[in-house]
Amino acid sequence: MENWTTSHDRVLAQRHTGSWMFLVEAARDIRTTGAIAPSGRALARALTDPVRTRSGQPLNILEAGAGTGAVARTLIGQLSAGSHLDVAEANPRFTGRLHHLAATHPRPVGHGRQVHIHTCRVEELDTDRRYDVIVSGLPFADFHPGQVKTIMDRYLELLHPGGTLTYFAYLGTRRACTPLASRIRAHCHQAVEGVLTGYQRRYATGCWTVWANLPPARV
């Protein structure tokens, strides 16, 4: 019981620290985080559902844009024997925290060689690996349409045939930003939605709304 309590307290402390760190980075540059708080547990669960549904199978998994590790924590806890998780995060302050998370996760995974943290953008990732599941935490709404297309095409290159990509967008972001943004900014946001809609029409197999997140999100 003491061991469980210690692990539980450690997780709560890590989440609290991660939330503060995320808030600091959001204040530094909201464009690099795309939100003012990490993903909630309900959103993390929805994003990692393809891993959970294939529980027990050895999987190659990639998370891009991991932030302080809200989703990575869930992924690490779901890793089965023989699975491998690569995490790509461009912010070096976040990757420092991700290394700590991987090393201190209360559910250890093998010899610690199942998780690798990469300080880079996913476009720059070079692991010679293809993935069964890719989880994207990148704030597409804050990117230019060309960037979104480049990233989505990169995801498709990295996926195994039949693999699954999950990503999300916060609800109401275009309506929320348009009155305060310039006309060019609003047009850019609408163009990004158009790019993502094109991929969804060609490849999407499901769409879910997670209301129990701040703000609510569509996965």
Side-chain angles (χ1 to χ4, degrees):
M1 185 65 162
E2 287 185 12
N3 289 339
W4 183 89
T5 302
T6 301
S7 297
H8 181 67
D9 290 344
R10 187 186 303 122
V11 169
L12 290 178
Q14 288 177 342
R15 285 177 178 157
H16 180 74
T17 302
S19 295
W20 273 108
M21 185 177 187
F22 198 97
L23 183 60
V24 169
E25 290 301 309
R28 189 191 305 270
D29 187 353
I30 189 65
R31 292 171 302 175
T32 63
T33 59
I36 59 170
S39 300
R41 280 178 283 182
L43 179 55
R45 183 175 176 83
L47 287 167
T48 61
D49 184 69
V51 176
R52 190 166 47 257
T53 57
R54 299 169 71 174
S55 176
Q57 301 179 34
L59 301 172
N60 285 329
I61 306 162
L62 168 65
E63 182 185 4
T68 56
V71 176
R73 183 182 294 108
T74 301
L75 285 171
I76 293 172
Q78 294 176 353
L79 290 179
S80 56
S83 290
H84 184 98
L85 171 63
D86 283 306
V87 180
E89 169 56 57
N91 186 322
R93 290 176 290 275
F94 284 162
T95 54
R97 176 165 176 77
L98 291 166
H99 279 290
H100 178 73
L101 171 64
T104 61
H105 194 279
R107 294 180 62 183
V109 288
H111 302 288
R113 291 177 294 185
Q114 286 181 281
V115 183
H116 284 80
I117 311 299
H118 307 268
T119 307
C120 68
R121 297 191 297 269
V122 69
E123 305 97 298
E124 303 164 344
L125 183 69
D126 184 14
T127 61
D128 293 325
R129 201 188 314 274
R130 297 186 77 180
Y131 297 93
D132 303 291
V133 179
I134 297 177
V135 178
S136 176
L138 295 174
F140 285 138
D142 295 305
F143 293 170
H144 293 290
Q147 290 176 288
V148 175
K149 185 178 186 307
T150 296
I151 292 168
M152 291 296 285
D153 287 344
R154 179 61 174 152
Y155 285 154
L156 294 178
E157 289 176 359
L158 291 169
L159 273 177
H160 271 306
T164 303
L165 163 68
T166 62
Y167 61 96
F168 72 96
Y170 294 119
L171 294 183
T173 52
R174 181 162 64 88
R175 290 191 299 271
C177 79
T178 298
L180 301 176
S182 67
R183 187 172 300 178
I184 293 175
R185 170 66 178 154
H187 177 75
C188 180
H189 193 101
Q190 189 172 13
V192 166
E193 288 184 341
V195 170
L196 292 174
T197 296
Y199 285 96
Q200 290 163 12
R201 286 173 177 167
R202 291 195 296 272
Y203 303 109
T205 58
C207 183
W208 298 267
T209 300
V210 180
W211 296 105
N213 192 71
L214 183 64
R218 181 171 291 112
V219 175

